[in-house]
């Protein structure tokens, strides 16, 4: 029975990734498709690109002391008020329900769903215990005198089973 359960789990993962419109699949070692830079949020990136940058830094969280700052650099000003300063943000990420973002077997970044100056991006991953987990990143377009860029306003975790057995998990605004 265990092999059947494993097969069903893998099939569910593939289905979830396919329906999420996966634009990037990575292992916890950071290998995968797509090119991800590690430059702070000082240039124009699409919403999925912002999330890809954050996920790449989160994958290095335990090995690179600068990773938390790279993730935090993409937090919107409103998000920073709630989650900052950096030391508080680091404690938040290292706690439940966010720890799987830094400690997982691999992840997939979905395509963005945009509506005006708001967007969502679905990230699916398999945590260290083998559980399929999803996070919805909420982003907004931030504008100041010199730049217009997408930044993360909030991140919420849910398990795909919470969406219901007959429902498709997809990013929504």
């Amino acid at each position: 029975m265990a092999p059947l359960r494993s097969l069903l789990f893998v099939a569910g993962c593939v289905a979830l990734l396919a329906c999420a419109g996966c634009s990037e699949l990575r292992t916890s070692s950071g290998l995968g498709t797509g090119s991800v830079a590690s430059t702070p949020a000082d240039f124009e990136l699409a919403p999925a690109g912002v999330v890809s940058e954050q996920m790449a830094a989160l994958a290095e969280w335990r090995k690179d002391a600068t990773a938390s700052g790279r993730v935090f650099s993409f937090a919107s000003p409103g998000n920073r008020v709630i989650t900052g300063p950096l030391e508080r943000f680091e404690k938040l990420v290292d706690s439940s329900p966010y720890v799987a973002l830094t400690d997982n077997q691999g992840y997939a970044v979905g395509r963005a769903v945009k509506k005006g100056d708001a967007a969502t991006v679905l990230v699916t991953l398999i945590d260290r215990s083998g559980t399929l987990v999803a996070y919805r990143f909420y982003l907004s377009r931030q504008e100041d005198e010199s730049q217009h860029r997408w930044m993360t306003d909030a991140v919420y975790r849910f398990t795909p089973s919470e969406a219901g057995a007959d429902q498709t998990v997809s990013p929504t605004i």
Side-chain angles (χ1 to χ4, degrees), residues 61-114:
W61 188 270
R62 309 247 180 259
K63 300 174 273 189
D64 181 354
T66 67
S68 61
R70 292 194 339 255
V71 175
F72 196 61
S73 74
F74 289 99
S76 68
N79 188 349
R80 288 178 187 214
V81 167
I82 295 168
T83 62
L86 182 59
E87 295 77 24
R88 186 165 88 189
F89 175 75
E90 290 170 336
K91 288 179 184 175
L92 176 69
V93 173
D94 279 332
S95 67
S96 181
Y98 302 105
V99 72
L101 288 167
T102 65
D103 189 19
N104 59 72
Q105 298 178 38
Y107 63 86
V109 176
R111 292 192 178 103
V113 174
K114 292 193 262 184

Side-chain angles (χ1 to χ4, degrees), residues 12 15-16 19 159-169:
L16 179 62
C19 78
T159 49
S161 62
E162 291 173 4
D166 296 332
Q167 296 182 358
T168 301
V169 178

Side-chain angles (χ1 to χ4, degrees), residues 11-74:
C13 292
V14 170
L16 179 62
L17 294 175
C19 78
C22 175
S23 64
E24 181 170 342
L25 179 61
R26 293 190 171 260
T27 63
S28 58
S29 65
L31 301 175
T33 60
S35 153
V36 178
S38 59
T39 307
D42 61 355
F43 57 94
E44 179 65 35
L45 279 177
V50 169
V51 174
S52 292
E53 290 282 339
Q54 289 184 298
M55 289 303 298
L58 286 162
E60 298 172 6
W61 188 270
R62 309 247 180 259
K63 300 174 273 189
D64 181 354
T66 67
S68 61
R70 292 194 339 255
V71 175
F72 196 61
S73 74
F74 289 99

Side-chain angles (χ1 to χ4, degrees), residues 1-15:
M1 188 58 106
L4 178 58
R5 189 175 340 163
S6 295
L7 180 61
L8 291 173
F9 176 75
V10 170
C13 292
V14 170

Side-chain angles (χ1 to χ4, degrees), residues 9 13 103-107 124-128 130-133:
F9 176 75
C13 292
D103 189 19
N104 59 72
Q105 298 178 38
Y107 63 86
T124 54
L125 59 85
I126 299 175
D127 70 13
R128 285 289 167 201
T131 302
L132 183 63
V133 178

